[in-house]
Amino acid sequence: MDLNQLAVTVNEALTDINKGVGYKINKYASIFTAEATAILFALKHIKEKNQLDQNWIIVSDSMSVLKSLSSSKINANINYLIFAIKELWWELSLTDTDVKFVWVPSHIGVLGNENADFLARTIVNMSDPSTGTDIISSLKKRMIGNWGKHWYCCTEIENKAHAYSLLDVPVNSTPWFCKFKNIVHRKFYTTITRMRIGHYCLNFHLHRKNIVPSPYCDRCQMQEAQSLDHIIFDCPSFGIQRLMLMDELLNIYGAPNLIPSTVTDLLKETTTYMSLYKFVHNTVNML
């Protein structure tokens, strides 16, 4: 049965239905929880009908919930509503009640969707239930928001301007290290983090902390500050390693003129992180 045939079938089934049931969930609930709750209450409605040997179709536009229902995985990360739905679904199957789940994008062509939307709008001002559903997600968002306010307000923090120019991303975005799940050694993460925030063990930074007497590079005679830019782009002591680095960067950027000329710009692309780490590890080994 294709999508158009399904829509006709469901429309015919809904012709005589002029009522609906609404339920307000907690304001902290996620979209996934809301969609799963709707399916659970649909199954409860079928059970309350108490009519055996009937066929039912539950139409949902939530692909994520339907995929979770079709999965056989069992672990602590699965939403508890999925287990509740499966249990009730199994109970109904014992009474020869056949329930099918069908995905329809945005309920296209399904009569009754407007009624469902109207019902949802009428209950939106109802008081919230007392459950603490998805409270962890709400707390996480609040913590991220508070950290963002602190980040933008604390202008007196040393090196904040440098770190801000490197990060240059929304405070609630996915952390950079989430893109390197296959890398397990801690030194990679700590080295890249030090490079991003400007707190590395080179003379340029150590001199500002009064740890070393001079900010100049002790690996060459150029009388330049031993910064990351100097080590990566200029210091003559690491010419061979620099050629290897530039060869890898050329594969990333495609053309020599497209390779950034500062470490700040290089660090804006996570694809460069492994190449930069290998260069630093094989030269100054900042940690």
Side-chain angles (χ1 to χ4, degrees):
M1 180 181 295
D2 61 24
L3 183 60
N4 292 330
Q5 291 174 327
L6 174 64
V8 172
T9 302
V10 175
N11 284 339
E12 292 175 351
L14 293 175
T15 301
D16 297 328
I17 296 180
N18 295 314
K19 64 179 181 179
V21 177
Y23 177 76
K24 184 176 177 65
I25 60 177
N26 190 278
K27 65 181 180 180
Y28 299 117
S30 64
I31 297 298
F32 184 94
T33 296
E35 298 287 356
T37 301
I39 292 178
L40 179 61
F41 271 77
L43 288 173
K44 289 182 177 180
H45 176 74
I46 293 174
K47 184 177 181 180
E48 291 171 358
K49 283 288 186 179
N50 198 25
Q51 297 178 6
L52 306 183
D53 301 322
Q54 286 198 346
N55 298 324
W56 297 81
I57 297 177
I58 296 180
V59 180
S60 173
D61 64 351
S62 177
M63 178 65 76
S64 58
V65 174
L66 296 181
K67 282 187 175 181
S68 296
L69 291 175
S70 64
S71 174
S72 59
K73 293 182 179 180
I74 299 178
N75 57 61
N77 295 324
I78 298 177
N79 192 302
Y80 74 97
L81 290 170
I82 298 300
F83 294 110
I85 291 172
K86 288 186 175 182
E87 182 179 5
L88 186 51
W89 190 13
W90 177 77
E91 290 179 6
L92 290 171
S93 68
L94 298 179
T95 63
D96 294 325
T97 301
D98 186 25
V99 180
K100 301 290 186 182
F101 296 97
V102 177
W103 177 76
V104 178
S106 301
H107 297 287
I108 295 176
V110 177
L111 183 65
N113 184 54
E114 293 77 11
N115 294 339
D117 290 339
F118 175 78
L119 179 61
R121 289 192 295 268
T122 58
I123 66 173
V124 73
N125 293 323
M126 293 172 56
S127 59
D128 289 328
S130 57
T131 177
T133 304
D134 298 313
I135 191 67
I136 294 178
S137 176
S138 175
L139 290 175
K140 183 178 179 180
K141 291 180 181 178
R142 182 173 298 183
M143 291 171 62
I144 292 176
N146 290 339
W147 180 86
K149 293 178 181 178
H150 175 75
W151 172 259
Y152 288 115
C153 293
C154 295
T155 54
E156 71 279 2
I157 298 178
E158 183 180 359
N159 289 330
K160 184 199 166 185
H162 172 75
Y164 180 78
S165 65
L166 290 180
L167 295 175
D168 196 24
V169 293
V171 295
N172 60 346
S173 63
T174 302
W176 67 268
F177 47 80
C178 292
K179 300 180 181 180
F180 296 88
K181 296 181 180 179
N182 295 328
I183 301 177
V184 294
H185 55 287
R186 177 178 178 273
K187 195 168 185 178
F188 169 78
Y189 295 106
T190 54
T191 300
I192 295 299
T193 298
R194 285 178 179 270
M195 295 173 69
R196 283 167 56 89
I197 65 177
H199 287 264
Y200 43 78
C201 294
L202 295 178
N203 290 346
F204 177 71
H205 175 68
L206 297 178
H207 178 69
R208 290 185 299 174
K209 297 295 184 182
N210 295 320
I211 298 177
V212 297
S214 171
Y216 296 115
C217 181
D218 54 11
R219 304 296 184 98
C220 66
Q221 305 297 323
M222 295 182 64
Q223 288 296 304
E224 290 187 6
Q226 193 184 60
S227 62
L228 273 177
D229 284 282
H230 171 74
I231 293 296
I232 292 177
F233 293 104
D234 300 320
C235 187
S237 299
F238 308 117
I240 297 177
Q241 294 90 336
R242 185 174 299 109
L243 287 175
M244 298 172 60
L245 171 63
M246 292 303 164
D247 185 61
E248 294 184 8
L249 293 179
L250 184 61
N251 292 331
I252 295 174
Y253 290 95
N257 61 310
L258 298 179
I259 300 177
S261 58
T262 65
V263 176
T264 298
D265 291 332
L266 284 174
L267 288 171
K268 290 180 179 179
E269 297 291 340
T270 56
T271 52
T272 66
Y273 284 11
M274 181 52 67
S275 299
L276 291 173
Y277 168 75
K278 289 190 296 184
F279 177 87
V280 171
H281 180 70
N282 293 328
T283 54
V284 291
N285 200 6
M286 298 186 302
L287 301 181

